[in-house]
Short mmCIF file of all heavy atoms in Angstrom, two decimals:
data_model
loop_
_atom_site.label_atom_id
_atom_site.label_comp_id
_atom_site.label_asym_id
_atom_site.label_seq_id
_atom_site.Cartn_x
_atom_site.Cartn_y
_atom_site.Cartn_z
N SER R 12 203.45 57.41 201.66
CA SER R 12 203.18 56.09 202.20
C SER R 12 204.41 55.46 202.82
O SER R 12 204.29 54.47 203.55
CB SER R 12 202.66 55.15 201.08
OG SER R 12 203.66 54.93 200.11
N THR R 13 205.58 56.03 202.56
CA THR R 13 206.82 55.51 203.17
C THR R 13 207.15 56.17 204.52
O THR R 13 208.16 55.87 205.10
CB THR R 13 208.01 55.71 202.21
OG1 THR R 13 208.14 57.10 201.88
CG2 THR R 13 207.84 54.90 200.94
N ILE R 14 206.29 57.06 204.98
CA ILE R 14 206.53 57.74 206.26
C ILE R 14 206.76 56.73 207.37
O ILE R 14 207.65 56.92 208.23
CB ILE R 14 205.35 58.69 206.62
CG1 ILE R 14 205.38 59.90 205.68
CG2 ILE R 14 205.41 59.09 208.10
CD1 ILE R 14 204.21 60.87 205.86
N ALA R 15 205.97 55.67 207.40
CA ALA R 15 206.08 54.67 208.41
C ALA R 15 207.48 54.03 208.47
O ALA R 15 207.99 53.69 209.55
CB ALA R 15 205.03 53.56 208.25
N LEU R 16 208.12 53.90 207.30
CA LEU R 16 209.44 53.30 207.22
C LEU R 16 210.49 54.20 207.92
O LEU R 16 211.41 53.72 208.60
CB LEU R 16 209.87 53.09 205.76
CG LEU R 16 209.01 52.08 204.98
CD1 LEU R 16 209.48 52.01 203.54
CD2 LEU R 16 209.04 50.72 205.60
N PHE R 17 210.30 55.51 207.76
CA PHE R 17 211.24 56.43 208.40
C PHE R 17 211.05 56.42 209.93
O PHE R 17 212.05 56.43 210.69
CB PHE R 17 211.00 57.85 207.88
CG PHE R 17 211.52 58.09 206.48
CD1 PHE R 17 210.74 57.76 205.38
CD2 PHE R 17 212.81 58.58 206.26
CE1 PHE R 17 211.20 57.94 204.09
CE2 PHE R 17 213.28 58.77 205.00
CZ PHE R 17 212.47 58.44 203.90
N VAL R 18 209.80 56.42 210.37
CA VAL R 18 209.56 56.38 211.83
C VAL R 18 210.05 55.08 212.44
O VAL R 18 210.64 55.06 213.51
CB VAL R 18 208.03 56.54 212.09
CG1 VAL R 18 207.71 56.37 213.57
CG2 VAL R 18 207.53 57.87 211.58
N GLU R 19 209.87 53.98 211.69
CA GLU R 19 210.37 52.70 212.14
C GLU R 19 211.90 52.72 212.31
O GLU R 19 212.43 52.19 213.26
CB GLU R 19 209.96 51.61 211.14
CG GLU R 19 210.40 50.19 211.54
CD GLU R 19 210.05 49.16 210.52
OE1 GLU R 19 209.37 49.49 209.54
OE2 GLU R 19 210.46 48.01 210.68
N SER R 20 212.57 53.37 211.36
CA SER R 20 214.03 53.47 211.43
C SER R 20 214.47 54.23 212.66
O SER R 20 215.42 53.84 213.35
CB SER R 20 214.57 54.18 210.17
OG SER R 20 215.96 54.36 210.24
N LEU R 21 213.75 55.32 212.99
CA LEU R 21 214.06 56.08 214.21
C LEU R 21 213.78 55.25 215.48
O LEU R 21 214.52 55.32 216.45
CB LEU R 21 213.31 57.40 214.24
CG LEU R 21 213.59 58.38 213.10
CD1 LEU R 21 212.81 59.65 213.31
CD2 LEU R 21 215.08 58.70 213.00
N LYS R 22 212.66 54.54 215.48
CA LYS R 22 212.31 53.74 216.65
C LYS R 22 213.31 52.59 216.88
O LYS R 22 213.46 52.10 218.00
CB LYS R 22 210.91 53.19 216.47
CG LYS R 22 209.81 54.24 216.63
CD LYS R 22 208.42 53.62 216.55
CE LYS R 22 207.32 54.63 216.80
NZ LYS R 22 205.97 54.07 216.71
N LYS R 23 214.01 52.20 215.82
CA LYS R 23 215.02 51.17 215.96
C LYS R 23 216.33 51.69 216.55
O LYS R 23 217.25 50.90 216.81
CB LYS R 23 215.29 50.48 214.60
CG LYS R 23 214.16 49.57 214.12
CD LYS R 23 214.55 48.89 212.81
CE LYS R 23 213.45 47.91 212.34
NZ LYS R 23 213.82 47.30 211.03
N GLY R 24 216.41 52.98 216.73
CA GLY R 24 217.59 53.55 217.37
C GLY R 24 218.37 54.55 216.56
O GLY R 24 219.31 55.16 217.07
N ASN R 25 217.99 54.77 215.29
CA ASN R 25 218.64 55.78 214.50
C ASN R 25 218.19 57.17 214.91
O ASN R 25 217.01 57.38 215.19
CB ASN R 25 218.39 55.58 213.02
CG ASN R 25 219.10 54.36 212.46
OD1 ASN R 25 220.29 54.16 212.71
ND2 ASN R 25 218.39 53.52 211.70
N ALA R 26 219.14 58.12 214.92
CA ALA R 26 218.77 59.49 215.28
C ALA R 26 218.32 60.21 214.02
O ALA R 26 217.55 61.21 214.11
CB ALA R 26 219.98 60.20 215.86
N LEU R 27 218.77 59.80 212.87
CA LEU R 27 218.45 60.43 211.60
C LEU R 27 218.22 59.32 210.58
O LEU R 27 218.98 58.33 210.51
CB LEU R 27 219.58 61.32 211.14
CG LEU R 27 219.52 61.97 209.75
CD1 LEU R 27 218.32 62.94 209.69
CD2 LEU R 27 220.81 62.69 209.42
N ALA R 28 217.18 59.45 209.79
CA ALA R 28 216.87 58.48 208.70
C ALA R 28 216.72 59.30 207.40
O ALA R 28 215.92 60.22 207.34
CB ALA R 28 215.58 57.72 208.99
N VAL R 29 217.53 58.91 206.41
CA VAL R 29 217.58 59.67 205.14
C VAL R 29 217.10 58.74 204.02
O VAL R 29 217.50 57.57 203.92
CB VAL R 29 219.01 60.12 204.84
CG1 VAL R 29 219.03 60.93 203.55
CG2 VAL R 29 219.55 60.97 206.01
N GLY R 30 216.24 59.26 203.16
CA GLY R 30 215.77 58.47 202.02
C GLY R 30 216.83 58.24 201.00
O GLY R 30 217.77 59.04 200.84
N ASN R 31 216.74 57.15 200.27
CA ASN R 31 217.65 56.83 199.19
C ASN R 31 216.87 56.63 197.88
O ASN R 31 216.22 55.60 197.68
CB ASN R 31 218.47 55.59 199.52
CG ASN R 31 219.45 55.24 198.41
OD1 ASN R 31 219.64 56.01 197.45
ND2 ASN R 31 220.07 54.08 198.50
N ARG R 32 216.86 57.65 197.02
CA ARG R 32 216.11 57.57 195.78
C ARG R 32 216.80 56.66 194.77
O ARG R 32 216.15 56.29 193.79
CB ARG R 32 216.00 58.99 195.20
CG ARG R 32 215.19 59.93 196.02
CD ARG R 32 215.35 61.37 195.58
NE ARG R 32 216.68 61.88 195.84
CZ ARG R 32 217.09 63.12 195.52
NH1 ARG R 32 216.23 63.96 194.94
NH2 ARG R 32 218.33 63.51 195.81
N PHE R 33 218.04 56.28 195.01
CA PHE R 33 218.76 55.45 194.05
C PHE R 33 218.64 53.97 194.39
O PHE R 33 219.29 53.15 193.71
CB PHE R 33 220.25 55.87 194.05
CG PHE R 33 220.47 57.30 193.63
CD1 PHE R 33 220.66 58.28 194.56
CD2 PHE R 33 220.44 57.66 192.27
CE1 PHE R 33 220.85 59.61 194.21
CE2 PHE R 33 220.62 58.97 191.90
CZ PHE R 33 220.82 59.96 192.85
N SER R 34 217.88 53.66 195.41
CA SER R 34 217.70 52.24 195.76
C SER R 34 216.87 51.53 194.68
O SER R 34 216.96 50.31 194.52
CB SER R 34 217.00 52.11 197.11
OG SER R 34 215.74 52.79 197.09
N GLU R 35 216.04 52.28 193.95
CA GLU R 35 215.29 51.78 192.83
C GLU R 35 215.68 52.57 191.57
O GLU R 35 216.09 53.73 191.68
CB GLU R 35 213.82 51.83 193.08
CG GLU R 35 213.33 50.98 194.27
CD GLU R 35 211.83 51.02 194.41
OE1 GLU R 35 211.17 51.39 193.42
OE2 GLU R 35 211.34 50.71 195.52
N LYS R 36 215.51 51.95 190.43
CA LYS R 36 215.84 52.66 189.19
C LYS R 36 214.96 53.89 189.01
O LYS R 36 213.72 53.79 189.08
CB LYS R 36 215.68 51.72 188.00
CG LYS R 36 216.15 52.35 186.67
CD LYS R 36 216.06 51.36 185.51
CE LYS R 36 216.56 52.00 184.22
NZ LYS R 36 216.50 51.05 183.09
N ILE R 37 215.56 55.03 188.83
CA ILE R 37 214.83 56.26 188.64
C ILE R 37 214.41 56.34 187.17
O ILE R 37 215.22 56.19 186.25
CB ILE R 37 215.68 57.47 189.02
CG1 ILE R 37 216.03 57.44 190.51
CG2 ILE R 37 214.93 58.77 188.72
CD1 ILE R 37 216.98 58.52 190.96
N LYS R 38 213.13 56.61 186.95
CA LYS R 38 212.62 56.69 185.58
C LYS R 38 213.29 57.83 184.82
O LYS R 38 213.60 58.90 185.38
CB LYS R 38 211.11 56.88 185.62
CG LYS R 38 210.35 55.68 186.15
CD LYS R 38 208.84 55.90 186.12
CE LYS R 38 208.06 54.69 186.68
NZ LYS R 38 206.61 54.93 186.68
N LYS R 39 213.45 57.65 183.56
CA LYS R 39 214.11 58.62 182.69
C LYS R 39 213.35 59.94 182.73
O LYS R 39 212.14 59.99 182.56
CB LYS R 39 214.19 58.08 181.25
CG LYS R 39 215.01 58.98 180.34
CD LYS R 39 215.11 58.36 178.95
CE LYS R 39 215.95 59.24 178.03
NZ LYS R 39 216.08 58.63 176.66
N GLY R 40 214.10 61.03 182.92
CA GLY R 40 213.53 62.37 182.92
C GLY R 40 212.99 62.82 184.27
O GLY R 40 212.69 64.03 184.41
N VAL R 41 212.90 61.94 185.24
CA VAL R 41 212.39 62.32 186.55
C VAL R 41 213.38 63.22 187.30
O VAL R 41 213.04 64.17 187.97
CB VAL R 41 212.04 61.08 187.39
CG1 VAL R 41 211.71 61.48 188.81
CG2 VAL R 41 210.86 60.36 186.75
N MET R 42 214.68 62.88 187.19
CA MET R 42 215.74 63.66 187.83
C MET R 42 216.70 64.15 186.71
O MET R 42 217.05 63.37 185.84
CB MET R 42 216.51 62.79 188.83
CG MET R 42 217.61 63.57 189.57
SD MET R 42 218.56 62.50 190.72
CE MET R 42 217.34 62.15 191.97
N PRO R 43 217.10 65.41 186.72
CA PRO R 43 218.05 65.92 185.75
C PRO R 43 219.29 65.05 185.73
O PRO R 43 219.80 64.61 186.78
CB PRO R 43 218.39 67.32 186.25
CG PRO R 43 217.18 67.74 187.04
CD PRO R 43 216.66 66.48 187.67
N TRP R 44 219.80 64.76 184.52
CA TRP R 44 220.93 63.79 184.40
C TRP R 44 222.15 64.23 185.19
O TRP R 44 222.85 63.39 185.76
CB TRP R 44 221.27 63.62 182.90
CG TRP R 44 221.89 64.85 182.28
CD1 TRP R 44 221.26 65.88 181.63
CD2 TRP R 44 223.30 65.19 182.25
NE1 TRP R 44 222.16 66.82 181.22
CE2 TRP R 44 223.41 66.42 181.58
CE3 TRP R 44 224.47 64.54 182.76
CZ2 TRP R 44 224.61 67.04 181.36
CZ3 TRP R 44 225.66 65.16 182.57
CH2 TRP R 44 225.76 66.41 181.86
N HIS R 45 222.44 65.55 185.24
CA HIS R 45 223.66 66.00 185.95
C HIS R 45 223.46 65.91 187.47
O HIS R 45 224.45 65.84 188.20
CB HIS R 45 224.03 67.41 185.55
CG HIS R 45 222.94 68.43 185.67
ND1 HIS R 45 221.87 68.47 184.82
CD2 HIS R 45 222.79 69.46 186.51
CE1 HIS R 45 221.08 69.48 185.16
NE2 HIS R 45 221.62 70.07 186.16
N HIS R 46 222.24 65.84 187.95
CA HIS R 46 222.01 65.55 189.37
C HIS R 46 222.11 64.07 189.63
O HIS R 46 222.74 63.65 190.62
CB HIS R 46 220.58 66.01 189.79
CG HIS R 46 220.42 67.46 189.72
ND1 HIS R 46 219.16 68.10 189.99
CD2 HIS R 46 221.22 68.48 189.39
CE1 HIS R 46 219.27 69.39 189.85
NE2 HIS R 46 220.49 69.65 189.46
#
């Protein structure tokens, strides 16, 4: 559902748009702690 946000970022002039999983709190156990 966030695909539109990436396309919007490119349409605004960015050549590359990268997701940020750390922008919101990651639930415990979803990502290995050392990652």
Side-chain angles (χ1 to χ4, degrees):
S12 67
T13 57
I14 288 176
L16 298 177
F17 286 86
V18 175
E19 182 183 354
S20 178
L21 298 183
K22 287 184 176 180
K23 285 182 177 179
N25 289 314
L27 174 65
V29 182
N31 180 9
R32 295 167 291 180
F33 299 99
S34 58
E35 297 184 18
K36 186 176 181 180
I37 298 176
K38 293 181 181 179
K39 187 176 181 180
V41 171
M42 182 184 291
W44 68 269
H45 52 289
H46 294 178

